Structure formats: C-alpha cells, structure tokens
Short mmCIF file of all heavy atoms in Angstrom, two decimals:
data_model
loop_
_atom_site.label_atom_id
_atom_site.label_comp_id
_atom_site.label_asym_id
_atom_site.label_seq_id
_atom_site.Cartn_x
_atom_site.Cartn_y
_atom_site.Cartn_z
N LEU A 1 98.77 -111.76 -74.06
CA LEU A 1 98.01 -111.85 -75.27
C LEU A 1 98.04 -110.41 -75.93
O LEU A 1 98.15 -110.32 -77.23
CB LEU A 1 96.59 -112.25 -75.01
CG LEU A 1 96.33 -113.67 -74.49
CD1 LEU A 1 94.80 -114.02 -74.38
CD2 LEU A 1 97.04 -114.65 -75.37
N ALA A 2 97.94 -109.31 -75.19
CA ALA A 2 98.08 -108.02 -75.75
C ALA A 2 99.54 -107.83 -76.42
O ALA A 2 99.55 -107.14 -77.43
CB ALA A 2 97.97 -107.01 -74.67
N GLU A 3 100.55 -108.32 -75.82
CA GLU A 3 101.88 -108.39 -76.44
C GLU A 3 101.97 -109.13 -77.65
O GLU A 3 102.62 -108.68 -78.70
CB GLU A 3 102.92 -108.75 -75.37
CG GLU A 3 104.31 -108.84 -75.81
CD GLU A 3 104.93 -107.51 -76.22
OE1 GLU A 3 104.33 -106.53 -75.86
OE2 GLU A 3 106.07 -107.51 -76.68
N ALA A 4 101.31 -110.32 -77.68
CA ALA A 4 101.33 -111.09 -78.80
C ALA A 4 100.54 -110.37 -79.92
O ALA A 4 101.04 -110.41 -81.10
CB ALA A 4 100.56 -112.48 -78.64
N ASP A 5 99.55 -109.71 -79.74
CA ASP A 5 98.80 -108.92 -80.67
C ASP A 5 99.71 -107.72 -81.24
O ASP A 5 99.74 -107.39 -82.35
CB ASP A 5 97.37 -108.44 -80.23
CG ASP A 5 96.49 -109.46 -80.05
OD1 ASP A 5 96.71 -110.59 -80.68
OD2 ASP A 5 95.53 -109.28 -79.24
N ARG A 6 100.35 -107.15 -80.26
CA ARG A 6 101.25 -105.94 -80.64
C ARG A 6 102.30 -106.34 -81.53
O ARG A 6 102.71 -105.63 -82.46
CB ARG A 6 101.80 -105.31 -79.39
CG ARG A 6 102.58 -104.10 -79.60
CD ARG A 6 103.33 -103.65 -78.32
NE ARG A 6 104.36 -104.44 -77.91
CZ ARG A 6 105.65 -104.42 -78.53
NH1 ARG A 6 105.91 -103.51 -79.50
NH2 ARG A 6 106.63 -105.12 -78.07
N ARG A 7 102.82 -107.64 -81.27
CA ARG A 7 103.93 -108.07 -82.22
C ARG A 7 103.53 -108.94 -83.22
O ARG A 7 104.15 -109.59 -84.04
CB ARG A 7 104.89 -108.93 -81.22
CG ARG A 7 105.60 -108.05 -80.27
CD ARG A 7 106.52 -108.84 -79.34
NE ARG A 7 107.44 -109.61 -80.19
CZ ARG A 7 108.34 -110.54 -79.69
NH1 ARG A 7 108.26 -110.88 -78.30
NH2 ARG A 7 109.25 -111.13 -80.37
N THR A 8 102.20 -108.98 -83.46
CA THR A 8 101.44 -109.91 -84.43
C THR A 8 101.97 -111.28 -84.39
O THR A 8 102.39 -111.91 -85.41
CB THR A 8 101.62 -109.32 -85.90
OG1 THR A 8 103.06 -109.34 -86.24
CG2 THR A 8 101.02 -108.00 -86.03
N LEU A 9 102.06 -111.87 -83.21
CA LEU A 9 102.47 -113.27 -82.95
C LEU A 9 101.34 -114.15 -82.51
O LEU A 9 100.55 -113.82 -81.73
CB LEU A 9 103.56 -113.25 -81.87
CG LEU A 9 105.01 -112.94 -82.17
CD1 LEU A 9 105.92 -112.84 -80.89
CD2 LEU A 9 105.60 -113.93 -83.11
N PRO A 10 101.22 -115.33 -83.11
CA PRO A 10 100.21 -116.24 -82.67
C PRO A 10 100.69 -116.88 -81.34
O PRO A 10 101.84 -116.67 -80.97
CB PRO A 10 100.16 -117.35 -83.75
CG PRO A 10 101.57 -117.18 -84.47
CD PRO A 10 102.02 -115.90 -84.24
N CYS A 11 99.81 -117.53 -80.67
CA CYS A 11 99.99 -118.26 -79.44
C CYS A 11 99.69 -119.69 -79.62
O CYS A 11 98.73 -120.07 -80.26
CB CYS A 11 99.33 -117.63 -78.24
SG CYS A 11 99.73 -115.87 -77.98
N TYR A 12 100.37 -120.61 -78.80
CA TYR A 12 100.04 -121.98 -78.84
C TYR A 12 100.03 -122.52 -77.28
O TYR A 12 100.87 -122.10 -76.57
CB TYR A 12 101.18 -122.65 -79.66
CG TYR A 12 101.01 -124.23 -79.63
CD1 TYR A 12 100.01 -124.88 -80.28
CD2 TYR A 12 102.02 -124.95 -78.95
CE1 TYR A 12 100.09 -126.24 -80.31
CE2 TYR A 12 101.92 -126.33 -78.96
CZ TYR A 12 100.92 -126.93 -79.64
OH TYR A 12 100.82 -128.35 -79.66
N LEU A 13 99.29 -123.60 -77.09
CA LEU A 13 99.22 -124.28 -75.90
C LEU A 13 98.79 -125.75 -76.04
O LEU A 13 98.21 -126.03 -77.05
CB LEU A 13 98.47 -123.48 -74.76
CG LEU A 13 96.99 -123.45 -75.14
CD1 LEU A 13 96.15 -124.67 -74.61
CD2 LEU A 13 96.37 -122.14 -74.42
N GLU A 14 99.10 -126.54 -75.05
CA GLU A 14 98.57 -127.94 -75.03
C GLU A 14 97.66 -128.04 -73.74
O GLU A 14 98.07 -127.92 -72.73
CB GLU A 14 99.62 -128.98 -74.91
CG GLU A 14 100.61 -129.10 -76.06
CD GLU A 14 101.99 -128.54 -75.71
OE1 GLU A 14 102.20 -128.15 -74.59
OE2 GLU A 14 102.89 -128.71 -76.53
N ASN A 15 96.33 -128.05 -74.11
CA ASN A 15 95.37 -128.09 -72.98
C ASN A 15 95.18 -129.61 -72.52
O ASN A 15 94.83 -130.43 -73.32
CB ASN A 15 93.91 -127.66 -73.53
CG ASN A 15 92.81 -127.78 -72.40
OD1 ASN A 15 93.21 -127.85 -71.25
ND2 ASN A 15 91.67 -127.69 -72.86
N SER A 16 95.57 -129.85 -71.24
CA SER A 16 95.64 -131.25 -70.72
C SER A 16 94.34 -131.57 -69.92
O SER A 16 94.22 -132.60 -69.36
CB SER A 16 96.76 -131.39 -69.88
OG SER A 16 96.95 -130.45 -68.89
N ASN A 17 93.42 -130.69 -69.90
CA ASN A 17 92.12 -130.86 -69.07
C ASN A 17 90.88 -130.24 -69.88
O ASN A 17 90.95 -129.09 -70.07
CB ASN A 17 92.29 -130.31 -67.74
CG ASN A 17 91.22 -130.78 -66.75
OD1 ASN A 17 90.16 -131.16 -67.33
ND2 ASN A 17 91.46 -130.79 -65.48
N PRO A 18 90.09 -131.07 -70.33
CA PRO A 18 88.98 -130.57 -71.16
C PRO A 18 88.03 -129.63 -70.52
O PRO A 18 87.33 -128.71 -71.14
CB PRO A 18 88.11 -131.85 -71.51
CG PRO A 18 88.58 -132.81 -70.61
CD PRO A 18 89.98 -132.56 -70.32
N ILE A 19 88.10 -129.47 -69.15
CA ILE A 19 87.22 -128.45 -68.47
C ILE A 19 87.72 -127.12 -68.77
O ILE A 19 86.96 -126.14 -68.54
CB ILE A 19 87.12 -128.83 -66.97
CG1 ILE A 19 88.45 -128.56 -66.30
CG2 ILE A 19 86.60 -130.16 -66.65
CD1 ILE A 19 88.41 -128.67 -64.69
N ASN A 20 88.94 -126.98 -69.19
CA ASN A 20 89.47 -125.66 -69.47
C ASN A 20 89.35 -125.11 -70.89
O ASN A 20 89.73 -124.08 -71.20
CB ASN A 20 90.95 -125.59 -69.18
CG ASN A 20 91.31 -125.95 -67.75
OD1 ASN A 20 90.54 -125.46 -66.92
ND2 ASN A 20 92.42 -126.66 -67.34
N THR A 21 88.71 -125.99 -71.76
CA THR A 21 88.69 -125.63 -73.23
C THR A 21 87.88 -124.37 -73.28
O THR A 21 88.26 -123.54 -74.21
CB THR A 21 87.91 -126.76 -73.99
OG1 THR A 21 88.83 -128.00 -73.85
CG2 THR A 21 87.83 -126.39 -75.51
N GLY A 22 86.74 -124.26 -72.64
CA GLY A 22 85.91 -123.01 -72.83
C GLY A 22 86.73 -121.76 -72.32
O GLY A 22 86.54 -120.70 -73.08
N PHE A 23 87.48 -121.97 -71.37
CA PHE A 23 88.31 -120.74 -70.81
C PHE A 23 89.16 -120.33 -71.98
O PHE A 23 89.31 -119.06 -72.38
CB PHE A 23 89.02 -121.13 -69.59
CG PHE A 23 90.15 -120.11 -69.14
CD1 PHE A 23 89.76 -118.99 -68.56
CD2 PHE A 23 91.46 -120.37 -69.44
CE1 PHE A 23 90.70 -118.12 -68.09
CE2 PHE A 23 92.44 -119.37 -69.12
CZ PHE A 23 91.96 -118.25 -68.38
N TYR A 24 89.81 -121.25 -72.58
CA TYR A 24 90.83 -120.81 -73.74
C TYR A 24 90.06 -120.37 -74.97
O TYR A 24 90.52 -119.45 -75.53
CB TYR A 24 91.74 -121.97 -74.03
CG TYR A 24 92.61 -122.47 -72.92
CD1 TYR A 24 92.69 -123.72 -72.52
CD2 TYR A 24 93.62 -121.46 -72.34
CE1 TYR A 24 93.64 -124.02 -71.45
CE2 TYR A 24 94.46 -121.89 -71.41
CZ TYR A 24 94.42 -123.13 -71.02
OH TYR A 24 95.26 -123.39 -69.99
N ASN A 25 88.93 -120.97 -75.24
CA ASN A 25 88.15 -120.43 -76.32
C ASN A 25 87.75 -119.09 -76.23
O ASN A 25 87.72 -118.25 -77.09
CB ASN A 25 86.85 -121.36 -76.61
CG ASN A 25 87.07 -122.72 -77.08
OD1 ASN A 25 86.28 -123.60 -76.87
ND2 ASN A 25 88.26 -123.01 -77.76
N ALA A 26 87.38 -118.60 -74.90
CA ALA A 26 87.00 -117.32 -74.63
C ALA A 26 88.06 -116.22 -74.80
O ALA A 26 87.69 -115.12 -75.00
CB ALA A 26 86.41 -117.32 -73.16
N HIS A 27 89.41 -116.73 -74.89
CA HIS A 27 90.48 -115.84 -75.04
C HIS A 27 91.12 -115.98 -76.47
O HIS A 27 92.20 -115.57 -76.75
CB HIS A 27 91.51 -116.09 -74.02
CG HIS A 27 91.02 -115.65 -72.61
ND1 HIS A 27 90.43 -116.46 -71.81
CD2 HIS A 27 91.09 -114.40 -71.98
CE1 HIS A 27 90.20 -115.73 -70.69
NE2 HIS A 27 90.63 -114.57 -70.76
N GLY A 28 90.29 -116.63 -77.29
CA GLY A 28 90.71 -116.63 -78.77
C GLY A 28 91.40 -117.86 -79.24
O GLY A 28 91.77 -117.96 -80.44
N PHE A 29 91.62 -118.90 -78.42
CA PHE A 29 92.24 -120.06 -78.76
C PHE A 29 91.23 -121.05 -79.44
O PHE A 29 90.06 -121.12 -78.95
CB PHE A 29 92.89 -120.79 -77.61
CG PHE A 29 94.12 -120.12 -77.03
CD1 PHE A 29 94.03 -119.19 -76.14
CD2 PHE A 29 95.36 -120.46 -77.47
CE1 PHE A 29 95.23 -118.55 -75.69
CE2 PHE A 29 96.49 -119.87 -77.02
CZ PHE A 29 96.46 -118.89 -76.00
N ARG A 30 91.70 -121.82 -80.44
CA ARG A 30 90.81 -122.84 -81.08
C ARG A 30 91.58 -124.05 -81.14
O ARG A 30 92.85 -124.17 -81.18
CB ARG A 30 90.46 -122.29 -82.43
CG ARG A 30 91.63 -122.05 -83.43
CD ARG A 30 91.24 -121.56 -84.74
NE ARG A 30 92.41 -120.99 -85.55
CZ ARG A 30 93.14 -121.87 -86.33
NH1 ARG A 30 92.86 -123.25 -86.42
NH2 ARG A 30 94.12 -121.46 -86.91
N THR A 31 90.90 -125.16 -81.17
CA THR A 31 91.58 -126.51 -81.20
C THR A 31 91.97 -126.72 -82.64
O THR A 31 91.17 -126.73 -83.56
CB THR A 31 90.51 -127.56 -80.75
OG1 THR A 31 90.05 -127.30 -79.45
CG2 THR A 31 91.22 -128.94 -80.72
N ILE A 32 93.36 -127.13 -82.76
CA ILE A 32 93.68 -127.52 -84.10
C ILE A 32 93.99 -128.97 -84.29
O ILE A 32 93.94 -129.52 -85.32
CB ILE A 32 95.00 -126.72 -84.34
CG1 ILE A 32 96.09 -126.94 -83.33
CG2 ILE A 32 94.74 -125.28 -84.62
CD1 ILE A 32 97.49 -126.31 -83.65
N GLU A 33 94.12 -129.72 -83.13
CA GLU A 33 94.19 -131.18 -83.17
C GLU A 33 94.14 -131.73 -81.80
O GLU A 33 94.43 -131.03 -80.73
CB GLU A 33 95.57 -131.64 -83.89
CG GLU A 33 96.79 -131.35 -83.17
CD GLU A 33 97.99 -132.04 -83.91
OE1 GLU A 33 97.80 -133.03 -84.38
OE2 GLU A 33 99.13 -131.46 -83.79
N LYS A 34 93.98 -132.99 -81.58
CA LYS A 34 94.10 -133.78 -80.36
C LYS A 34 95.06 -134.85 -80.61
O LYS A 34 95.02 -135.55 -81.68
CB LYS A 34 92.86 -134.24 -79.93
CG LYS A 34 91.93 -133.05 -79.47
CD LYS A 34 90.64 -133.58 -78.95
CE LYS A 34 89.58 -132.51 -78.45
NZ LYS A 34 88.28 -133.08 -77.86
N PHE A 35 96.06 -135.03 -79.70
CA PHE A 35 96.99 -136.12 -79.78
C PHE A 35 97.12 -136.93 -78.49
O PHE A 35 97.03 -136.27 -77.46
CB PHE A 35 98.27 -135.70 -80.43
CG PHE A 35 99.01 -134.68 -79.55
CD1 PHE A 35 100.02 -135.05 -78.72
CD2 PHE A 35 98.83 -133.32 -79.81
CE1 PHE A 35 100.76 -134.13 -78.00
CE2 PHE A 35 99.49 -132.35 -78.98
CZ PHE A 35 100.46 -132.77 -78.19
N SER A 36 97.69 -138.03 -78.49
CA SER A 36 98.06 -138.79 -77.38
C SER A 36 99.45 -138.82 -77.00
O SER A 36 100.35 -138.78 -77.84
CB SER A 36 97.55 -140.28 -77.57
OG SER A 36 97.94 -141.08 -76.48
N CYS A 37 99.80 -138.86 -75.72
CA CYS A 37 101.16 -139.04 -75.18
C CYS A 37 101.65 -140.44 -75.05
O CYS A 37 102.76 -140.64 -74.77
CB CYS A 37 101.23 -138.38 -73.76
SG CYS A 37 101.03 -136.48 -73.76
N GLY A 38 100.72 -141.28 -75.20
CA GLY A 38 101.15 -142.79 -75.19
C GLY A 38 99.80 -143.60 -75.03
O GLY A 38 98.70 -143.08 -74.92
N GLU A 39 99.92 -144.84 -75.10
CA GLU A 39 98.83 -145.84 -75.05
C GLU A 39 98.06 -145.65 -73.66
O GLU A 39 98.62 -145.64 -72.61
CB GLU A 39 99.23 -147.33 -75.22
CG GLU A 39 98.16 -148.32 -75.23
CD GLU A 39 98.73 -149.70 -75.47
OE1 GLU A 39 99.90 -149.88 -75.67
OE2 GLU A 39 97.91 -150.55 -75.40
N GLY A 40 96.75 -145.38 -73.83
CA GLY A 40 95.93 -145.16 -72.70
C GLY A 40 95.95 -143.84 -72.07
O GLY A 40 95.20 -143.61 -71.11
N ALA A 41 96.66 -142.99 -72.64
CA ALA A 41 96.71 -141.56 -72.10
C ALA A 41 95.60 -140.77 -72.50
O ALA A 41 95.02 -140.91 -73.64
CB ALA A 41 98.02 -140.81 -72.57
N PRO A 42 95.07 -139.83 -71.60
CA PRO A 42 94.06 -138.87 -72.04
C PRO A 42 94.62 -138.01 -73.11
O PRO A 42 95.77 -137.77 -73.11
CB PRO A 42 93.81 -138.09 -70.74
CG PRO A 42 94.40 -138.94 -69.61
CD PRO A 42 95.48 -139.63 -70.23
N PRO A 43 93.78 -137.45 -74.05
CA PRO A 43 94.36 -136.74 -75.13
C PRO A 43 94.76 -135.40 -74.61
O PRO A 43 94.34 -134.77 -73.67
CB PRO A 43 93.07 -136.51 -76.13
CG PRO A 43 91.95 -136.71 -75.19
CD PRO A 43 92.33 -137.69 -74.16
#
C-alpha cells in the first residue's frame, strides 16, 4: 500500500468473505459493487 501511494496507483481486490470487509475498510478500501459468479453463488 505504501508503494501504491508512492506511485499514485489505486488498488483493487475481490472480497469473497464478508467477515473481512472491516479489515479492508480499515486499510482504505471501499466497496464499489457486489456481483455474482453464478446462480446461487455468494456475492
């Protein structure tokens, strides 16, 4: 993350477990959308 800031680059991830949302929020990540991998899949 320090390198991303040094290079003024954004970062992206797909969070596959909602219990980790708070961890990522604490490091500056925000949710931009939720999407499905298929019928019946968790988002």
Side-chain angles (χ1 to χ4, degrees):
L1 296 184
E3 177 67 7
D5 291 338
R6 186 187 70 81
R7 296 177 58 189
T8 63
L9 282 172
C11 299
Y12 174 73
L13 62 87
E14 299 110 352
N15 178 22
S16 53
N17 194 333
I19 66 173
N20 296 324
T21 300
F23 171 77
Y24 293 125
N25 287 158
H27 290 88
F29 288 89
R30 57 184 173 84
T31 303
I32 54 175
E33 66 172 328
K34 294 183 180 181
F35 64 92
S36 173
C37 294
E39 185 177 354

